[in-house]
């Protein structure tokens, strides 16, 4: 019987790679629902090629445009719109697996809906854990959902962990399992060797020119600041129940080793592969079976070298903000994520310089008062407050 998939964020890079893996194995997978923000053209192609039962757009105007586009096509797809529809296709009884690939805070509610419905959730949305952390992991356990990390780094760590850590994900004792440290690798982005004095002069095009990965604009800028690695650090803390001394970021420019796990006996297990998201996506879709991803294995004769170095705080202040926020509490990580989304959007619109992204995030963190967050509503309220403060700082910088 085919595995029925809801794909949250179908028109982004993760969504497109997921569809590519599914298309290679049509006997295994069926697209039940696909969602997108506003890319009507890409969604129309998905509806024609993959024939989902539902297509969900973020708002009604985009949905109306999609209905018009596919009206002449031979498709069974029903077009819906809005946050409620996103949640409905995530928790639908017909669905086996939900790929959570909506970028940003918008992905939290539909991803949580999938968790509360006890689905297998392939988590490619960092913000779900950055914003909700313990609440999210507790919900996974309470509703007996199955969580598999899809980010290449977390997927690599997952593959290097013993079964007793994989199964109670987020609740295992790493030390009892013989684990010394989790090593989270990152390429260092396009500005790794740039003189620090020149960072303020960098353009959005330069920041989005990642040396190894093909990604969307927002995540590419986050990679350039290494805030993306900071979000992954926070995510890893919750996924693997790490203590601060058990988690380290290592710059690895070649992006061949996707992450490593160091054990108390001196062994280090690493997952290696091409910098291609189809590999972790196929791992999640086929788990526990290995399936074809369309990615060629590494040719070790073609690898010139593998190098490693520390992440300099003065070059990557956003990374340090994220590491500190991780251990400050949920209020800090939620605040940082919201402020960063506003700052990155302003940078991409050429309203602030590259180095101002970290400045905006730091100033908002200093303004928010630490507090206990006891539910999703409180998280969303804090998220909105942080966005408003970040917007004010952006406006003052112009």
């Amino acid at each position: 019987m085919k595995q029925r998939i809801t794909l949250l964020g179908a028109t982004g890079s993760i969504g497109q790679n997921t569809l590519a893996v599914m298309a290679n194995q049509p006997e295994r997978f069926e697209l039940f629902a696909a969602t997108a923000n506003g890319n009507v053209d890409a969604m129309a192609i998905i509806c024609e090629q993959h024939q989902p039962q539902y297509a969900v757009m973020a708002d009604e105007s985009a949905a109306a445009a999609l209905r018009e586009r596919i009206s002449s096509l031979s498709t069974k797809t029903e077009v819906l719109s809005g946050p409620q529809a996103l949640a409905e296709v995530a928790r639908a009884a017909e669905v086996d697996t939900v790929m959570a690939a909506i970028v940003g805070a918008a992905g939290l509610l539909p991803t949580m809906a999938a968790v509360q419905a006890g689905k297998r959730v392939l988590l490619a949305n960092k913000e779900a854990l950055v914003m909700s952390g313990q609440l999210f992991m507790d919900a996974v356990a309470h509703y007996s959902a199955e969580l598999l990390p899809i980010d290449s780094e977390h997927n690599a760590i997952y593959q290097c962990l013993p079964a007793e850590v994989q199964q109670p994900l987020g609740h295992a004792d790493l030390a009892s399992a013989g684990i010394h440290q989790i090593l989270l690798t990152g390429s260092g982005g396009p500005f790794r060797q740039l003189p620090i004095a020149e960072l303020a002069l960098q353009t959005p095009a330069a920041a989005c020119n990642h040396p190894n990965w093909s990604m969307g604009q927002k995540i590419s800028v986050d990679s350039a600041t290494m805030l993306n690695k900071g979000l992954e650090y926070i995510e890893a803390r919750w996924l693997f129940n790490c203590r601060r001394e058990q988690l380290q970021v290592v710059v690895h420019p070649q992006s061949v080793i996707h992450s490593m796990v160091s054990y108390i006996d001196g062994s280090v297990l690493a997952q290696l592969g091409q910098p291609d998201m189809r590999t972790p996506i196929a791992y999640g879709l086929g788990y526990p079976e290995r399936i074809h991803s369309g990615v060629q294995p590494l040719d070790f004769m073609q690898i010139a070298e593998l190098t490693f170095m520390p992440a300099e705080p003065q070059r990557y202040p956003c990374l340090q903000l994220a590491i500190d926020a991780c251990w400050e509490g949920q209020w800090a990580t939620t605040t940082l994520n919201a402020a960063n989304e506003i700052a990155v959007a302003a940078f991409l619109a050429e309203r602030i310089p590259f180095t101002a992204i970290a400045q905006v995030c730091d100033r908002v963190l200093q303004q928010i008062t630490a507090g206990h967050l006891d539910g999703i509503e409180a998280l969303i309220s804090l998220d909105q407050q942080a966005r408003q403060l970040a917007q004010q700082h952006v406006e003052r910088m112009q």
Side-chain angles (χ1 to χ4, degrees), residues 1 67 138 146 158 187 225 242 258 292 302 348 367 371:
M1 186 173 178
R67 289 188 193 100
D138 287 347
E146 183 180 13
Y158 187 87
S187 71
T225 65
C242 301
H258 298 308
H292 289 289
Q302 299 299 315
L348 287 169
Q367 283 186 269

Side-chain angles (χ1 to χ4, degrees), residues 19 73 93 116 123 150 161 176 241 321 362 369:
L19 291 170
L73 302 177
Q116 292 171 342
L123 189 65
I150 298 301
L161 291 173
S176 296
N241 196 29
L321 286 174
D362 189 24
T369 303

Side-chain angles (χ1 to χ4, degrees), residues 130-131 227 230-231 234 316-343 356-371 373 382-383 385-394 396-397:
V130 171
M131 285 184 66
L227 189 280
L231 298 181
I234 297 165
Y316 303 113
C318 283
L319 172 60
Q320 192 60 50
L321 286 174
I323 292 173
D324 292 341
C326 180
W327 307 107
E328 284 288 332
Q330 192 64 69
W331 70 271
T333 59
T334 300
T335 296
L336 175 61
N337 178 70
N340 178 69
E341 287 193 21
I342 296 299
I357 296 172
Q359 294 169 12
V360 169
C361 292
D362 189 24
R363 291 174 187 176
V364 175
L365 280 165
Q366 292 180 37
Q367 283 186 269
I368 297 288
T369 303
L373 301 170
L382 176 60
D383 176 86
Q385 181 188 0
R387 288 170 189 275
Q388 290 170 6
L389 289 172
Q391 193 63 57
Q392 292 170 11
H393 285 299
V394 167
R396 291 189 191 113
M397 290 178 174

Side-chain angles (χ1 to χ4, degrees), residues 7 14 27 64 123 208 263 273 277 310:
L7 179 47
I14 297 293
E27 73 285 356
L123 189 65
C208 291
Y263 287 83
M277 284 305 300

